[in-house]
Amino acid sequence: MSIDKSQIRNAATVIVLRDRFDAPRILMGQRGAKAVFMPNKFVFPGGAVDAGDADIPLASPLPDLCATRLCEDADATLAHAIAVAAIRELWEETGLILGTKGEWDRPPPADWETFAATGHLPAASALQFSFRALTPPGRPRRFDARFFLVDADDIASDLDDFEAASDELSHLQWVPLSEARSFDMPFITEVVMAEVEARAKDRTPPESVPFFKNNDEESLFLRLRGRPMNG
């Protein structure tokens, strides 16, 4: 049976913020020229939630506030899988580890074998749910993407070692936040960038989360606490 490419898929994106109090930088890479979705664009690491993500145990859960916000205007059972997808995609696309030292109590699935081989368990306590965006209708792929901000200090591996990364993103680099807008990036990434800039020196999870909601009827810019954005 063929997959309906127009179906909206849940997705997780990770924004790793380094040197946030001095000269903040964010980790970005470039999508391939032949990619169906956003070719050539500079993006944050991330991707769709896989069916198996719901079954992966976490060494530490999401912060309570972030889990609560993830469940608003969404299936509450998705929060765990979305957090797992964020950690998995960060590993696959950058080779960076968000986890704690430990041995798995069961054989890991195939797409987690290399992560487990590093001697780490996935941990979600450092993920801060900061933005949500729904891809507009008419695009070749549509995602309901949740963006997570992570302080680079919480990464368990060498921040400059991308050897374990897949080839899905090229030109992985730490981009100065002050220069990021000069890169060719999707519109929604620019919008998220403004939110990152506003939170660069704030380590606490956001009380409310912007939600760029595009559906067939209208385009809305909401905050996940039931309030429309001003302006």
Side-chain angles (χ1 to χ4, degrees), residues 142-162:
R142 295 193 70 193
F143 296 98
D144 191 346
R146 281 73 165 190
F147 293 77
F148 295 92
L149 190 62
V150 172
D151 194 299
D153 290 345
D154 291 310
I155 298 295
S157 52
D158 184 342
L159 293 172
D160 297 304
D161 182 2
F162 305 129

Side-chain angles (χ1 to χ4, degrees), residues 3-151:
I3 298 174
D4 180 5
K5 298 296 185 182
S6 65
Q7 180 182 3
I8 299 172
R9 297 189 65 188
N10 291 296
T13 298
V14 184
I15 308 154
V16 187
L17 182 62
R18 187 175 186 177
D19 304 322
R20 66 193 304 163
F21 294 108
D22 304 315
R25 293 178 285 164
I26 49 176
L27 183 60
M28 302 190 79
Q30 188 176 30
R31 291 183 59 80
K34 295 182 179 179
V36 174
F37 190 70
M38 296 182 179
N40 295 316
K41 297 291 187 180
F42 275 86
V43 297
F44 305 116
V49 176
D50 288 345
D53 289 334
D55 301 322
I56 301 298
L58 289 167
S60 61
L62 282 163
D64 288 343
L65 179 59
C66 295
T68 299
R69 293 289 168 266
L70 275 171
C71 294
E72 292 179 26
D73 201 356
D75 181 347
T77 64
L78 282 172
H80 177 92
I82 290 171
V84 169
I87 298 167
R88 177 180 52 75
E89 288 287 340
L90 181 67
W91 166 251
E92 290 176 358
E93 295 192 347
T94 72
L96 297 185
I97 299 168
L98 189 58
T100 57
K101 285 284 189 181
E103 297 299 321
W104 291 55
D105 59 7
R106 60 186 180 187
D111 56 351
W112 282 90
E113 286 177 349
T114 56
F115 185 100
T118 69
H120 290 84
L121 299 165
S125 55
L127 290 169
Q128 294 190 358
F129 178 38
S130 302
F131 202 94
R132 180 178 173 187
L134 191 60
T135 309
R139 302 294 173 84
R141 299 282 190 279
R142 295 193 70 193
F143 296 98
D144 191 346
R146 281 73 165 190
F147 293 77
F148 295 92
L149 190 62
V150 172
D151 194 299

Side-chain angles (χ1 to χ4, degrees), residues 138-200:
R139 302 294 173 84
R141 299 282 190 279
R142 295 193 70 193
F143 296 98
D144 191 346
R146 281 73 165 190
F147 293 77
F148 295 92
L149 190 62
V150 172
D151 194 299
D153 290 345
D154 291 310
I155 298 295
S157 52
D158 184 342
L159 293 172
D160 297 304
D161 182 2
F162 305 129
E163 286 297 315
S166 68
D167 59 1
E168 193 160 340
L169 292 181
S170 61
H171 303 104
L172 282 165
Q173 59 191 288
W174 292 99
V175 179
L177 199 53
S178 60
E179 299 174 14
R181 292 179 186 276
S182 66
F183 285 68
D184 182 14
M185 63 182 68
F187 164 73
I188 198 61
T189 305
E190 292 192 32
V191 177
V192 175
M193 201 77 72
E195 195 70 13
V196 175
E197 289 171 343
R199 300 198 57 77

